[in-house]
Amino acid sequence: MQDSRFDAIVIGTGQAGPGLAARLAGVGQKVAIIERKLFGGTCVNTGCIPTKTMIASAYAARMARRAADFGVSVAGAVTVDMRAVKARKDAVSGKSRAGVEGWLKHLENCTVYEGHARFESSNVVAVGDAKLVAPRIFINVGGRAVIPEMPGLDQVPYLTNSSMMEVDFLPRHLVIVGGSYIGLEFAQMFRRFGSEVTVIEMGPRLIGHEDEDISACIKEILEAEGIQIRLKAECVAVSKRGDEIVASAECEEGAPEVAGSHLLMAVGRRPNTSDLGLENAGVQTDERGYITVDDQLQTSTPGIWALGDCNGKGGFTHTSYNDFEIVAANLLDNDPRRVSDRIKAYALYIDPPLGRVGMTEAEVRASERNALLATRPMTKVGRAVEKGESLGFMKIMVDAETDQILGAAILGLNGDEVIHSILDVMYTKAPYTVIQRAVHIHPTVSELVPTMLADLKPLR
Ligand SMILES: Cc1cc2nc3c(=O)[nH]c(=O)nc-3n(C[C@H](O)[C@H](O)[C@H](O)COP(=O)(O)OP(=O)(O)OC[C@H]3O[C@@H](n4cnc5c(N)ncnc54)[C@H](O)[C@@H]3O)c2cc1C
């Protein structure tokens, strides 16, 4: 049995761990980093990178089918070679994974361990036969798909975001349980590849924590492409009938059951914390298993930090990476950065995408502050009209007393990029008039943000 002493142990090679290991090793600390499966974690292997690569294939198929709208003819029917789609995805994702693995394995002062890490005490972590000891331990173990206790689910084959990565064929009819980010991205992607797709959502609307107008517009966009959407689906149960999977539900609209060829479960994520031996280290979790941390990401045990999806403070690649920056700044740069400095920002990668920052309109209303609102349909954005991609709308909320921007949503062409011009002004805490008076480049989607701001009205 090896007993190895380090200055720091990092568990997991997701979006926070590798950067932190490199920073610590770079200042001469002796670092161990442990990975039990695929280097790079969720984003690189089963999350952002592969899905966005596949979404690019789906977009190409969509535009090829729409070619005639642009005066371009494509001879014959547009078909999608799913093996080629998967091969392209594997190449992009695999290059990224190899990059992380190679980087860590060649990092001076850093030892890579491959295996499952488990706390034996607050400063000892076991990996296989090795026992690693360090005064500082950083947990970056991420999360995985929630598999709910749904009647019949143990009797039928089903897919998750991870096993979807192995799909190199076209499902005849993909039934997706869950109408939030992951479910909707797969729904539109597979519809564009050529599958029939049904989304079953238990709540009264898609992506229930967004504003109602956003949910409604997304539903309209997806339904226009032929995706079936079943809302308020209570008591969902699944069973097998011949070679079909049948999902039955009490829904407000539509037949009481949907029979499909494949089932994807996309009802949320849970942290990888139940098999870490956290109890041996005195590290507390909340009722859903997320590790409890303070504003600088320290856990209930001194000397142990938790970063990324496992602390429940973000749930995105950029928030996990920012967790690394916060911990590194506090430990190495004498810079007291905090999670509460962060402004909520994320995107939903359907097409057109949704870019979101700060508060929703519902949150602004609930705060009962004196606020202003402006909206603009994408049909009034020249760049979107020119490109024939004018679905969606944008909106922005401003505090009427401070003139600071409270939140915004851009559901439309390049919404994931354009939203950053608003986000950056929010970080400066400058009044909205700064962006309203800025001269943006024509023709872009961004140029209509100042125009929209000129149209602010009291939020009633
Ligand atoms: C389908 C999908 C699409 C997504 N798209 C986006 C997107 O477009 N944009 C975005 O910002 N976010 C997206 N996300 C979320 C994003 O992938 C995660 O937020 C991100 O990966 C951050 O994860 P992390 O750093 O917390 O850990 P992870 O990336 O999950 O990595 C954790 C690592 O720890 C390892 N590990 C776990 N337990 C142990 C153990 N006991 N011992 C050793 N190793 C262990 C795991 O094997 C894994 O490699 C998506 C997620 C999914 C599922």
Side-chain angles (χ1 to χ4, degrees):
M1 174 119 14
Q2 293 168 257
D3 178 347
S4 306
R5 294 186 176 269
F6 293 90
D7 296 313
I9 298 169
V10 178
I11 306 175
T13 64
Q15 293 300 310
L20 185 59
R23 271 300 310 272
L24 294 168
V27 295
Q29 294 195 18
K30 193 180 165 204
V31 179
I33 188 162
I34 310 163
E35 175 53 58
R36 71 175 177 190
K37 211 171 171 196
L38 298 174
F39 285 83
T42 309
C43 179
V44 166
N45 298 289
T46 57
C48 339
I49 291 181
T51 55
K52 272 76 234 179
T53 307
M54 291 167 77
I55 283 170
S57 293
Y59 181 74
R62 167 82 172 162
M63 293 313 274
R65 287 192 192 103
R66 288 191 59 203
D69 296 353
F70 300 87
V72 176
S73 57
V74 173
V78 174
T79 56
V80 176
D81 175 349
M82 288 304 293
R83 285 195 182 175
V85 169
K86 179 175 178 294
R88 178 175 182 273
K89 180 270 291 176
D90 286 344
V92 175
S93 166
K95 191 172 175 199
S96 190
R97 176 171 59 249
V100 177
E101 185 170 353
W103 174 38
L104 290 173
K105 288 186 171 169
H106 290 99
L107 202 58
E108 209 181 328
N109 300 329
C110 181
T111 309
V112 173
Y113 288 83
E114 293 185 61
H116 178 87
R118 202 164 193 287
F119 280 92
E120 296 214 331
S121 71
S122 61
N123 64 349
V124 179
V125 174
V127 198
D129 282 345
K131 277 191 201 292
L132 317 183
V133 184
R136 286 175 171 170
I137 301 177
F138 304 93
I139 308 170
N140 177 220
V141 292
R144 61 181 183 277
V146 166
I147 302 305
E149 291 204 4
M150 180 177 285
L153 198 57
D154 54 346
Q155 307 292 317
V156 300
Y158 60 85
L159 296 153
T160 64
N161 69 287
S162 299
S163 47
M164 282 301 280
M165 296 299 112
E166 300 311 313
V167 172
D168 64 355
F169 56 89
L170 192 66
R172 183 182 54 72
H173 184 169
L174 181 62
V175 177
I176 301 174
V177 178
S180 199
Y181 297 86
I182 293 173
L184 297 186
E185 290 182 9
F186 278 115
Q188 190 184 46
M189 175 197 320
F190 274 83
R191 181 69 192 133
R192 290 178 170 195
F193 290 150
S195 296
E196 222 181 298
V197 174
T198 303
V199 176
I200 300 179
E201 164 58 44
M202 289 147 208
R205 56 193 172 89
L206 298 175
I207 42 173
H209 62 269
E210 298 298 341
D211 284 329
E212 286 186 29
D213 51 0
I214 300 276
S215 293
C217 188
I218 287 173
K219 182 166 179 275
E220 228 174 270
I221 289 167
L222 297 178
E223 284 180 335
E225 292 192 30
I227 295 168
Q228 310 280 331
I229 294 169
R230 315 281 309 278
L231 298 175
K232 285 196 189 167
E234 285 160 16
C235 315
V236 182
V238 289
S239 58
K240 197 128 177 50
R241 189 191 296 152
D243 57 2
E244 296 212 301
I245 297 165
V246 180
S248 58
E250 286 170 26
C251 295
E252 199 153 80
E253 293 165 22
E257 52 175 53
V258 181
S261 58
H262 294 81
L263 175 68
L264 166 63
M265 296 303 299
V267 295
R269 309 275 301 162
R270 55 175 291 203
N272 289 326
T273 52
S274 58
D275 51 2
L276 254 183
L278 290 177
E279 61 289 353
N280 300 331
V283 174
Q284 286 168 10
T285 57
D286 68 13
E287 64 293 344
R288 294 193 300 151
Y290 288 102
I291 298 173
T292 314
V293 288
D294 65 16
D295 211 15
Q296 285 156 324
L297 302 168
Q298 295 205 62
T299 69
S300 51
T301 300
I304 303 181
W305 287 256
L307 302 85
D309 287 10
C310 67
N311 66 26
K313 296 238 175 232
F316 298 99
T317 281
H318 46 279
T319 50
S320 179
Y321 190 81
N322 180 233
D323 284 358
F324 141 57
E325 294 175 318
I326 291 167
V327 171
N330 277 281
L331 294 181
L332 302 175
D333 304 333
N334 196 24
D335 177 358
R337 292 179 71 174
R338 292 168 182 276
V339 179
S340 52
D341 297 337
R342 189 152 80 201
I343 297 172
K344 188 160 70 177
Y346 52 86
L348 161 66
Y349 290 90
I350 60 159
D351 171 38
L354 168 69
R356 272 271 300 113
V357 289
M359 300 169 86
T360 62
E361 184 183 331
E363 286 166 347
V364 174
R365 286 182 187 281
S367 73
E368 293 185 357
R369 72 182 79 205
N370 192 0
L372 307 169
L373 168 83
T375 63
R376 188 170 191 92
M378 294 303 286
T379 48
K380 287 195 174 172
V381 174
R383 179 75 167 153
V385 174
E386 291 146 15
K387 294 193 81 171
E389 298 182 56
S390 58
L391 296 175
F393 69 101
M394 42 178 145
K395 70 171 168 182
I396 191 160
M397 282 81 57
V398 166
D399 187 308
E401 271 140 42
T402 64
D403 279 354
Q404 285 187 13
I405 298 168
L406 297 170
I410 301 182
L411 173 59
L413 177 69
N414 299 341
D416 53 327
E417 298 287 352
V418 177
I419 201 76
H420 288 89
S421 66
I422 296 171
L423 179 61
D424 291 344
V425 172
M426 289 173 77
Y427 270 111
T428 66
K429 295 189 167 46
Y432 77 89
T433 44
V434 168
I435 191 165
Q436 192 206 337
R437 290 173 192 185
V439 180
H440 285 187
I441 295 165
H442 173 78
T444 58
V445 177
S446 301
E447 76 176 318
L448 273 305
V449 174
T451 313
M452 172 169 66
L453 282 166
D455 201 28
L456 283 167
K457 305 258 175 354
L459 182 70
R460 303 225 184 271

